[in-house]
Amino acid sequence: MEKSDKPIPEEALPPGVIANTGRVAAVQGPVVDVRFPEDEEAPAVYDCILTRTFDNRKITLQTAEHLGPGLVRCVSFNETLNLQLGAPCTNTRRPTAIPIGDGCFGRVMDASGRPLDEAGPYDCPETVPIRKPVVQVSFDLKKKGREIPELLETGIKYIDLLYPMIKGSKTGVLGGAGCGKTVVILELINNIVKAHGGACVFTGIGERIREGNELYYELEESHLLPKVMLAFGQMDQSPGARAEIVNAGLTMAEYLVAKNKDVLLFMDNLYRFIQAGQEVSTLLGRVPAETGYQPTLASEVNTVQERIRSIEGGGSITAMQAVYVPADDMTDPAVVSIFATLDGVVVLSRDLVQRGMYPAIDPLQSSCTNLDTNVVGRRHYEISQQVIQHFNKHNSLKRIVAVIGLEELNKDDQKIYKRAEKLYNFMTQPFTVSEVFTGKKGEYVPLEDNILGCERILRGDYDHMEAQDFYMIGKSPRI
């Protein structure tokens, strides 16, 4: 095949943009150096540059840094195989942009706005840059009082009782490999979108292609796909695409919020965003921090989290973020940097996974700032505190019981221990998204039934029953 010396066609550029052509100076994996004439304007950082391989495959580059007069270093969003030295490159003179509009519902795109579902071009009126300056929040000191937060019922017992979600909040699901983060996120999508409707944006960051494929067809079968926008930067893509897919998902959410919609934003997995940023930082030759992560770790995480915000008098973004915990180390710098920005943290325990307690949420490591009487009410708050107290007592007694046996405890401790065992089992729940694996029909448990079941266990109404009777049930049994 002949080498092409032609630049990207003018029609591929945004309206009113004059082509500025450079040449590929070096290709080092996903990092590409491009040289532009010194007498012409060089691309700005984060500007999009388009080029093609010798087999006519389109390559999207994003400017990362300036190396000298007319020489810029870029990160590719695509595989750079067959990209030749001296290949013509066109500066679009604008940041990477994606098509945006209601035509994105039910569609799948990557970080550069390329459709991944083979369903043709998007029916969208405009393209919007995925990177925007963070708008500073202005404080109105004359404004008194706060809006009453609106509780978002999920149908998942643990989350509704101990880690309630409210509209506009940010909740993280943290756990090691194989603890069930994605299953919890998928069940939340299934329950919340079905129960509350509204718009949903799912951002898959560096995750398995199989999971994205399964999610797409599950949404299609349950007729939820027309309500969901999907953005995927899968694990087979370049680190540049995996790092920027977060901004593509946020751009979709911001578009919907501007239309006064309440948006559910799901991100799976935010750790992969940090990992992709680390790869890009290493490829660009930046000196890592002492912990091995990129020196800009905190600012990268905070820039993303600052874009997840609600508009006064308009729509809201309620974010649910899965976070992989490397080696189950909760003190990992990447996990800590995300942890500090969240309203609620749901931690998954490997010990509970091994015991078959699904969802494997550890109530003693998890926390939530929304668990407040002003948000959930007095009765809900008091029962949740009693449940946590029982879990704490059970944790302090379980080693003693393992050594001397349950019968050697005093009667009060025996009662608390047995009730805590029932609570642990009652908090397990069959999920709709895991029906095919468990054979049990998934159950959505309303908040009132959830509180009532815990209240009856704490009161002793079920003292005559065994803890196993509460395993994998939905609502509490009748007395």
Side-chain angles (χ1 to χ4, degrees):
M1 190 174 290
E2 291 183 8
K3 178 179 171 180
S4 172
D5 281 333
K6 295 180 182 179
I8 299 293
E10 294 284 343
E11 58 267 22
L13 300 176
V17 172
I18 302 168
N20 179 13
T21 305
R23 297 276 175 178
V24 172
V27 181
Q28 305 167 57
V31 175
V32 179
D33 293 350
V34 181
R35 187 177 295 282
F36 288 88
E38 292 185 21
D39 58 341
E40 294 185 18
E41 184 183 355
V45 173
Y46 299 125
D47 267 7
C48 177
I49 296 172
L50 303 176
T51 185
R52 289 189 184 276
T53 60
F54 78 78
D55 54 355
N56 210 33
R57 187 166 46 85
K58 183 180 171 183
I59 301 283
T60 302
L61 308 175
Q62 181 173 268
T63 310
E65 58 189 21
H66 294 93
L67 301 179
L71 184 63
V72 293
R73 179 156 287 173
C74 308
V75 176
S76 173
F77 283 6
N78 314 94
E79 172 62 55
T80 54
L81 181 70
N82 293 338
L83 180 60
Q84 290 180 304
L85 191 68
C89 303
T90 302
N91 176 19
T92 65
R93 299 178 188 266
R94 63 176 289 182
T96 305
I98 59 170
I100 202 74
D102 291 345
C104 292
F105 280 112
R107 300 295 306 274
V108 188
M109 71 169 66
D110 67 4
S112 60
R114 181 171 59 98
L116 299 177
D117 51 8
E118 299 181 352
Y122 296 93
D123 182 19
C124 295
E126 60 177 337
T127 58
V128 176
I130 60 174
R131 279 185 175 266
K132 298 176 185 175
V134 177
V135 180
Q136 297 300 317
V137 178
S138 58
F139 295 94
D140 187 354
L141 300 178
K142 295 179 182 178
K143 187 176 178 181
K144 294 182 180 179
R146 290 163 56 188
E147 290 184 16
I148 298 171
E150 188 177 343
L151 209 60
L152 202 64
E153 187 178 284
T154 66
I156 299 175
K157 289 186 276 191
Y158 256 128
I159 292 176
D160 284 345
L161 183 73
L162 301 179
Y163 322 107
M165 291 176 64
I166 61 171
K167 279 188 180 177
S169 65
K170 288 181 278 196
T171 305
V173 181
L174 281 67
C179 288
K181 298 180 297 298
T182 300
V183 174
V184 172
I185 289 284
L186 293 181
E187 185 71 6
L188 281 162
I189 293 173
N190 180 74
N191 289 2
I192 295 176
V193 176
K194 276 184 180 175
H196 301 278
C200 174
V201 175
F202 182 87
T203 311
I205 311 161
E207 286 296 280
R208 301 170 185 87
I209 298 170
R210 168 185 59 78
E211 291 176 350
N213 193 57
E214 287 173 0
L215 172 65
Y216 181 86
Y217 287 109
E218 270 179 31
L219 291 170
E220 191 175 49
E221 286 170 16
S222 55
H223 307 292
L224 295 174
L225 195 57
K227 296 180 180 178
V228 184
M229 294 182 180
L230 299 110
F232 281 99
Q234 296 299 100
M235 58 168 50
D236 67 324
Q237 292 186 278
S238 71
R242 283 183 274 125
E244 291 299 324
I245 196 65
V246 176
N247 292 314
L250 288 169
T251 303
M252 291 177 178
E254 287 169 347
Y255 162 76
L256 294 168
V257 166
K259 296 185 73 175
N260 290 345
K261 290 189 178 181
D262 291 323
V263 185
L264 297 163
L265 173 62
F266 295 93
M267 296 197 283
D268 185 14
N269 179 316
L270 204 60
Y271 178 81
R272 304 295 177 199
F273 158 70
I274 292 174
Q275 199 173 43
Q278 183 184 19
E279 288 179 47
V280 169
S281 181
T282 304
L283 288 165
L284 294 174
R286 292 171 184 161
V287 178
E290 287 182 7
T291 54
Y293 288 102
Q294 59 270 44
T296 53
L297 172 65
S299 62
E300 284 179 15
V301 171
N302 292 334
T303 301
V304 167
Q305 299 291 355
E306 276 299 303
R307 286 181 69 180
I308 305 172
R309 59 169 63 163
S310 304
I311 296 175
E312 191 175 341
S316 65
I317 301 179
T318 306
M320 200 75 189
Q321 308 168 19
V323 183
Y324 166 68
V325 180
D328 293 341
D329 179 14
M330 294 297 292
T331 63
D332 186 271
V335 176
V336 172
S337 66
I338 298 169
F339 188 94
T341 64
L342 302 172
D343 299 307
V345 178
V346 176
V347 179
L348 302 180
S349 161
R350 194 169 300 282
D351 178 53
L352 290 171
V353 170
Q354 290 165 351
R355 288 164 53 191
M357 310 292 274
Y358 295 104
I361 295 171
D362 187 338
L364 302 180
Q365 285 197 72
S366 308
S367 63
C368 183
T369 58
N370 299 328
L371 192 59
D372 185 277
T373 51
N374 296 323
V375 177
V376 299
R378 174 63 60 184
R379 176 171 172 253
H380 181 165
Y381 177 79
E382 287 180 350
I383 288 170
S384 66
Q385 293 308 300
Q386 289 178 51
V387 168
I388 291 169
Q389 286 166 14
H390 275 64
F391 287 151
N392 266 313
K393 188 70 174 174
H394 179 275
N395 189 53
S396 62
L397 290 173
K398 67 180 180 182
R399 290 183 182 177
I400 299 170
V401 169
V403 175
I404 64 173
L406 183 61
E407 294 75 19
E408 296 301 319
L409 297 178
N410 64 55
K411 287 186 178 180
D412 286 342
D413 284 350
Q414 279 189 41
K415 193 186 296 180
I416 290 171
Y417 190 87
K418 287 178 179 178
R419 287 177 184 172
E421 287 278 299
K422 292 183 180 73
L423 285 167
Y424 267 117
N425 280 273
F426 178 61
M427 285 297 169
T428 61
Q429 183 176 349
F431 279 177
T432 303
V433 295
S434 57
E435 280 179 16
V436 66
F437 305 109
T438 62
K440 287 191 174 185
K441 184 172 174 58
E443 287 205 42
Y444 179 103
V445 182
L447 178 59
E448 184 53 39
D449 292 331
N450 186 3
I451 293 172
L452 184 62
C454 293
E455 192 175 38
R456 286 174 172 173
I457 293 171
L458 293 166
R459 203 164 54 206
D461 294 352
Y462 298 124
D463 282 357
H464 61 285
M465 296 175 71
E466 296 296 322
Q468 197 64 26
D469 298 333
F470 295 85
Y471 180 70
M472 282 293 174
I473 65 171
K475 300 174 186 178
S476 59
R478 293 181 180 178
I479 300 172

